[in-house]
Amino acid sequence: MQKITVTLSLHSIDYPDNETDHTALLAIKSKLLDPSNKVLSSWNGSIHHCSWEGVTCGRKHNRVIGLDLSSRSLGGTISPFIGNLSFLTVIELYNNSLSGNIPAQLGHLIRLQVLTLRNNTLVGEIPSNISNCVNLRLISLGNNKLEGKLPVGLRALSMLTILIVEDNNLTGPLFDIIQNLTSLVSIFAHDNSFTGTIPNNIGRMRKLTNIEVGENELSGTLPLSLFNLSFLQEIEFNDNQLYGELPADIGFTIPHLKRLSLPGNNFSGSIPITIQNLTTLEVIAFGGNSFRGRVPYNFGNFRNLNVLSVAHNYLEGDISFIDTLFNCSQLSVLDLGSNHFSGILPKSVANLSTSLQWITISEAQISGKIPEGITNLNNLQRLVLSNCNLSGSLPQDIGKLYKLGLLDLSSNKFEGGIPNSFANLSLLEGLYLNDNILEGSIPAQLGNCQSLLNLNLAYNELNGALSNELFEGSASFVGVDLSENHLEGSLPLELGKQSNLEILRLSNNKFSSVIPDSLGDCPDLQYLYMDGNSYSGNIPSSFASLASLREIDFSRNNLSGPIPAFFSKFPKLYYLNLSYNDFEGMVPTNSVFANASEVFVAGNNKVCGGIKQLKLPKCSENQTRERNRLIIPIISALVGVVFMAVGAVGLYMACIRKKKTPRSSGSSMMGNVTIKVSYDMLLKATAGFSSENLLGTGSFGSVFMGILNGETVAVKVLNMQHRGASKSFIAECNTLRNIRHRNLVGIITACSSIDFQRNDFKALIYEFMPNGSLDQWLHGVDRNMNLAQRVDVAIDVAHALSYLHHECETPIVHCDLKPSNILLDNDMVAHVGDFGLARFLTQPQHPNQSSTTAIKGTIGYAAPGNNRVIPNYN
């Protein structure tokens, strides 16, 4: 016993801080969650803590110098007691589910060299006292939810070589903080909200090898000193706000460059011809800029080239430069869409690298045929040859491209039939053959494409009946568009098996017989267009279950019977066209039927009632009695509904002021929200998006005046390279597709064409407001409003907000209401516009949980500036 006592005493004297480490580790364990109960099972008193899993101790002092619990599926938080492990040099806790803040006590670890916490869900700011960890070489905090600015103290970490903070919510300056860290080798800071410019003295960071700062808000130009960093292998500045030209000698100053990624900015000028000297290049990504001129002709030197993307620029010249890609044996992505290329599609396309996964050549003046040998590219996953002048027949053996997930050959001049071999494309998710001259029947075998979600064969010369097999196979369609063909016969009952169907467009064919009851078994159906056919009979009662419907068009058929009352119970329905049929009886007056801009019943001579704007005859007593018998047998309930409706209408009419003339913006196109609009149509309508037609610019794009189908419209073209533009487009589409009101700016349609990654074209077409914005009238030098007009505008806006807040199924918050977003039509009726920041307001699930709506946009009142005020559709 005496010997043991002496031994313990000596141990305590030699290693007085061992107990400190032991206690700190137990405190760390207490904050961690170990779902498997295995990772931390060794952290107990049965063995020394230096033998615990993930713990490393130094040989000299037996102190904890390393803590590695990475990729262990651990949860919980990081205990502040980690700061008591004063000998720690390495902390590796990446690839877990840790939450909470990074403890400020990390600043006590002056010996720390490696800190890797990436791929967790950590929140809060990076501790400011991290500057005390002067020996740090590696900081890896990527893919968390950190926020705030980079600590100014980072400037003191002179030994730092790698900084990884990508995929967070960090803001503020980036290069102002790190520009003097001359030991830095790699910077990974993409997908944040960093601001500022790239300083000229970045050339002092001579060891820089990798710079990844895409998807931020950096501005200014790329300084020439950047291109003198001879060790650079990777430059990635995609999706920022940078501009300027690339230096002509770029091919001589950074000889080791492997990745040059600049899409989604506003770079201009030509692509330097010296880029051909950068034989180590693996990625060239210039999409979504303003580059002009020709593509450097010879790519034969790029033996390691993996990605060539120059889409959405103003490049021109013969597309035959594809011939020079023959030696690029590693090429996997070729994206040339939306430029001004011309010439004949080279046959050499079929002889490119068998590593090719993506080919996109769209919106180009190229002609020719698809080379028969295209099936040599057996790794193709995406083939887009749309909006060109290609012709000939579709290759019969295209079904050999077994890995194909997207095939878009739309808007060309392809003819002949659709090959049966398409049925072999088991991974195909999207097939777009619309806007061609294809004929014959639709192959029933397409129903066997088990991954097929979207099928668009519209605007062709297809004929015959639809096979049952098309809809009873393994395909699970989300969208089907067969409109504008010569299809005939009745719809297969098997259509009802498509339970995931959201969009069905069959317009302007020769379909006949009755609408199948089975279509009521598609609960997710949102857009149903069956107009311009020869359907007869009643609308099936099974349609009462289609509560997700937003748009319905049954116009120009031979349908009969009463108008179903259940349409008025569909909460999302905002467009119902029943015109030119043989319906009869009373037209409801509630829900979708309460707005003349949402419901169309012209050409039905046996209908009556409805709201007065529909100008229908009053229902006779017999018609009213029959309607009551069929729909509301309890007379007292009907009387109550009538009194409530009359009261609501009376209250509404008491609020609005009388106008001398009706609203002028209810154009014919507004009655057809599915007007087909292509990029070429918009190009023509706006005179090539000319500056003369420019109404103004906003946060996410520009607005042009255009003449579309003989009517004046406003065309909002989004800059999809601007951070947040895609979300704005989706938000505005989702909002405006769910609402219709006389005091909201109406959307006529949306135009979208997809290209490489996010470099796509999206536009919204609105009603044109000839009297501009309220901002102009309040602050313009040549316009003024009297008191009565101002009161009218205030009432209009109040009606719009009341509708958004109280009358929609889900309340909507505009989030950016200001004078420039209030537009005036020809009669000075005010309309609220710009729903790019709008939010659907959901109810909190818990008492302490706030709404999901975040208030964004201009805070309070935005005072007028010195610039010319323009109508704000943005």
Side-chain angles (χ1 to χ4, degrees):
M1 290 294 299
Q2 183 66 30
K3 184 176 180 180
I4 294 177
T5 302
V6 172
T7 300
L8 289 176
S9 176
L10 288 173
H11 181 80
S12 176
I13 294 173
D14 289 343
Y15 311 112
D17 292 321
N18 245 325
E19 188 61 32
T20 301
D21 287 358
H22 185 86
T23 302
L25 289 172
L26 290 178
I28 292 171
K29 177 184 178 181
S30 69
K31 295 293 184 180
L32 296 176
L33 299 178
D34 181 11
S36 67
N37 293 319
K38 296 179 180 179
V39 179
L40 302 178
S41 60
S42 63
W43 288 38
N44 56 57
S46 63
I47 56 176
H48 193 273
H49 61 258
C50 288
S51 298
W52 291 356
E53 182 174 352
V55 176
T56 302
C57 293
R59 294 182 179 180
K60 184 176 181 180
H61 299 294
N62 213 31
R63 300 294 304 277
V64 176
I65 62 172
L67 182 61
D68 182 0
L69 294 175
S70 58
S71 302
R72 301 297 211 285
S73 300
L74 297 175
T77 61
I78 303 175
S79 169
F81 280 90
I82 197 170
N84 288 357
L85 300 175
S86 55
F87 276 70
L88 266 181
T89 60
V90 175
I91 298 177
E92 294 184 307
L93 300 176
Y94 60 88
N95 292 346
N96 283 294
S97 300
L98 300 176
S99 57
N101 293 1
I102 299 175
Q105 287 78 3
L106 283 179
H108 301 163
L109 304 176
I110 60 175
R111 294 178 172 85
L112 193 62
Q113 298 179 25
V114 175
L115 175 63
T116 59
L117 305 176
R118 71 178 186 274
N119 296 343
N120 283 285
T121 56
L122 300 172
V123 298
E125 298 185 355
I126 301 173
S128 59
N129 63 352
I130 198 172
S131 57
N132 296 333
C133 305
V134 294
N135 290 294
L136 270 173
R137 268 77 164 175
L138 168 62
I139 297 178
S140 178
L141 308 176
N143 196 18
N144 280 285
K145 298 181 179 179
L146 301 174
E147 56 190 14
K149 299 179 179 180
L150 289 180
V152 175
L154 280 181
R155 295 170 177 168
L157 305 182
S158 60
M159 303 178 74
L160 192 65
T161 59
I162 300 176
L163 176 63
I164 305 174
V165 291
E166 85 275 3
D167 292 311
N168 280 288
N169 301 311
L170 299 171
T171 59
L174 172 64
F175 286 97
D176 285 356
I177 302 296
I178 66 174
Q179 60 183 328
N180 292 321
L181 299 180
T182 56
S183 295
L184 269 178
V185 173
S186 298
I187 304 168
F188 301 98
H190 58 81
D191 202 6
N192 282 284
S193 296
F194 288 122
T195 57
T197 60
I198 303 166
N200 289 327
N201 64 356
I202 193 174
R204 298 175 55 194
M205 305 171 75
R206 297 186 180 278
K207 297 181 181 179
L208 267 181
T209 301
N210 305 94
I211 303 178
E212 284 191 17
V213 290
E215 299 181 67
N216 281 285
E217 298 174 14
L218 302 176
S219 57
T221 62
L222 296 180
L224 290 177
S225 61
L226 173 69
F227 299 97
N228 290 325
L229 298 174
S230 58
F231 289 105
L232 271 179
Q233 296 183 18
E234 184 175 27
I235 299 177
E236 183 177 301
F237 286 104
N238 60 287
D239 298 297
N240 280 281
Q241 300 163 22
L242 302 170
Y243 60 90
E245 299 185 8
L246 297 180
D249 61 349
I250 187 174
F252 302 115
T253 57
I254 41 178
H256 305 295
L257 195 63
K258 294 182 178 180
R259 183 183 183 93
L260 182 56
S261 181
L262 305 174
N265 287 282
N266 195 30
F267 291 107
S268 57
S270 60
I271 299 176
I273 194 170
T274 62
I275 201 172
Q276 298 175 135
N277 295 336
L278 300 177
T279 58
T280 57
L281 272 174
E282 298 175 1
V283 173
I284 301 175
F286 291 161
N289 283 285
S290 298
F291 287 111
R292 297 181 179 273
R294 295 176 177 270
V295 173
Y297 190 79
N298 186 10
F299 288 92
N301 294 331
F302 299 132
R303 300 299 180 92
N304 298 315
L305 189 63
N306 183 263
V307 173
L308 174 60
S309 173
V310 294
H312 296 279
N313 281 283
Y314 301 99
L315 299 170
E316 58 188 9
D318 197 299
I319 201 166
S320 60
F321 67 80
I322 289 179
D323 293 338
T324 68
L325 294 170
F326 176 76
N327 290 326
C328 302
S329 58
Q330 305 300 316
L331 190 64
S332 64
V333 173
L334 176 63
D335 184 25
L336 310 177
S338 300
N339 282 285
H340 301 305
F341 296 127
S342 58
I344 298 176
L345 182 65
K347 294 182 179 179
S348 60
V349 169
N351 296 320
L352 294 178
S353 169
T354 55
S355 299
L356 261 177
Q357 298 178 15
W358 283 23
I359 296 180
T360 300
I361 306 174
S362 59
E363 299 179 30
Q365 295 301 311
I366 63 172
S367 57
K369 302 179 179 180
I370 299 177
E372 289 291 338
I374 193 80
T375 54
N376 295 333
L377 308 178
N378 53 17
N379 283 301
L380 268 185
Q381 298 176 17
R382 178 185 179 114
L383 177 59
V384 177
L385 301 173
S386 61
N387 291 87
C388 297
N389 289 314
L390 300 174
S391 58
S393 58
L394 302 178
Q396 291 297 317
D397 58 352
I398 203 168
K400 293 180 179 179
L401 298 175
Y402 301 115
K403 296 182 180 180
L404 210 58
L406 171 63
L407 178 59
D408 186 353
L409 305 178
S410 61
S411 300
N412 282 287
K413 298 177 181 178
F414 292 117
E415 55 189 8
I418 301 174
N420 292 334
S421 66
F422 278 28
N424 298 327
L425 302 177
S426 60
L427 299 180
L428 192 66
E429 296 181 1
L431 176 60
Y432 301 90
L433 303 178
N434 50 290
D435 294 272
N436 282 287
I437 321 174
L438 298 173
E439 57 187 10
S441 60
I442 298 175
Q445 295 90 334
L446 287 178
N448 296 326
C449 297
Q450 59 190 27
S451 301
L452 192 56
L453 301 176
N454 292 290
L455 175 65
N456 192 338
L457 305 178
Y459 291 88
N460 279 288
E461 304 293 332
L462 300 170
N463 53 48
L466 296 181
S467 170
N468 297 338
E469 298 176 24
L470 182 62
F471 298 108
E472 69 177 358
S474 54
S476 182
F477 293 111
V478 172
V480 175
D481 191 347
L482 308 179
S483 56
E484 304 290 342
N485 280 287
H486 307 294
L487 302 171
E488 58 188 13
S490 58
L491 288 180
L493 297 178
E494 287 73 14
L495 186 58
K497 296 181 179 180
Q498 296 296 320
S499 58
N500 296 320
L501 192 65
E502 297 179 4
I503 301 171
L504 179 61
R505 299 182 188 274
L506 305 173
S507 306
N508 298 323
N509 280 284
K510 300 178 181 179
F511 290 116
S512 58
S513 189
V514 298
I515 300 174
D517 287 339
S518 61
L519 196 54
D521 296 330
C522 301
D524 295 331
L525 196 60
Q526 300 178 35
Y527 304 94
L528 177 60
Y529 281 78
M530 307 180 76
D531 52 297
N533 285 284
S534 299
Y535 294 111
S536 59
N538 294 357
I539 296 175
S541 59
S542 63
F543 274 36
S545 62
L546 301 180
S548 296
L549 278 169
R550 299 169 182 265
E551 299 179 7
I552 304 174
D553 195 336
F554 288 144
S555 64
R556 296 178 291 116
N557 280 285
N558 299 315
L559 297 171
S560 58
I563 295 176
F566 53 70
F567 282 154
S568 63
K569 298 180 181 180
F570 289 174
K572 300 178 181 179
L573 186 62
Y574 60 79
Y575 175 74
L576 176 61
N577 193 342
L578 305 175
S579 57
Y580 298 99
N581 281 283
D582 195 28
F583 290 113
E584 60 185 37
M586 181 183 295
V587 176
T589 57
N590 59 324
S591 190
V592 67
F593 295 97
N595 194 323
S597 65
E598 297 176 348
V599 64
F600 303 88
V601 293
N604 291 279
N605 299 325
K606 301 177 184 178
V607 296
C608 60
I611 58 176
K612 65 179 182 179
Q613 290 89 341
L614 295 178
K615 299 180 180 179
L616 298 175
K618 293 183 178 180
C619 293
S620 67
E621 183 177 350
N622 289 337
Q623 288 172 313
T624 303
R625 185 180 300 112
E626 177 68 11
R627 183 70 172 179
N628 292 342
R629 184 185 68 80
L630 293 174
I631 301 176
I632 310 179
I634 304 176
I635 301 299
S636 59
L638 174 61
V639 172
V641 171
V642 171
F643 273 110
M644 291 176 65
V646 170
V649 172
L651 180 61
Y652 177 79
M653 295 304 295
C655 293
I656 66 171
R657 69 277 185 261
K658 295 181 179 180
K659 290 291 181 182
K660 293 182 179 180
T661 58
R663 176 180 173 185
S664 61
S665 58
S667 68
S668 61
M669 282 196 299
M670 278 303 293
N672 182 11
V673 296
T674 59
I675 176 174
K676 181 176 176 59
V677 177
S678 67
Y679 175 84
D680 291 336
M681 291 174 65
L682 293 184
L683 194 69
K684 182 178 180 180
T686 59
F689 301 112
S690 67
S691 57
E692 290 79 6
N693 283 19
L694 181 66
L695 295 176
T697 58
S699 303
F700 300 119
S702 303
V703 181
F704 299 86
M705 183 178 70
I707 305 296
L708 194 61
N709 287 0
E711 300 191 30
T712 304
V713 296
V715 181
K716 175 180 175 181
V717 179
L718 282 84
N719 178 4
M720 299 312 296
Q721 284 70 49
H722 191 289
R723 182 182 178 87
S726 182
K727 293 180 181 178
S728 175
F729 176 80
I730 295 172
E732 194 146 15
C733 285
N734 287 343
T735 303
L736 293 175
R737 283 175 179 169
N738 282 277
I739 59 177
R740 283 289 188 278
H741 193 275
R742 70 188 302 271
N743 295 124
L744 301 177
V745 174
I747 181 174
I748 295 174
T749 189
C751 177
S752 177
S753 60
I754 304 172
D755 281 300
F756 177 72
Q757 293 180 347
R758 290 177 302 169
N759 299 326
D760 50 349
F761 173 85
K762 294 185 185 298
L764 294 163
I765 297 92
Y766 302 89
E767 300 173 88
F768 179 68
M769 296 291 158
N771 276 314
S773 71
L774 177 62
D775 208 352
Q776 290 175 278
W777 287 87
L778 293 178
H779 309 295
V781 295
D782 58 345
R783 299 188 184 187
N784 58 76
M785 303 181 76
N786 58 39
L787 179 60
Q789 288 175 316
R790 295 178 186 229
V791 171
D792 283 347
V793 169
I795 293 174
D796 286 337
V797 174
H799 279 305
L801 294 181
S802 176
Y803 173 77
L804 294 172
H805 295 175
H806 304 294
E807 297 179 41
C808 297
E809 176 195 11
T810 302
I812 297 172
V813 181
H814 186 278
C815 295
D816 198 16
L817 189 66
K818 55 188 177 183
S820 60
N821 285 342
I822 299 171
L823 308 181
L824 303 172
D825 67 15
N826 197 49
D827 297 318
M828 295 297 288
V829 176
H831 305 259
V832 175
D834 186 4
F835 287 82
L837 296 176
R839 297 290 186 272
F840 288 91
L841 188 65
T842 57
Q843 294 299 320
Q845 296 179 351
H846 305 288
N848 297 325
Q849 177 184 344
S850 62
S851 167
T852 60
T853 298
I855 304 300
K856 298 183 178 181
T858 306
I859 305 300
Y861 175 73
N866 296 325
N867 297 328
R868 178 173 68 94
V869 181
I870 53 94
N872 191 352
Y873 294 83
N874 290 279

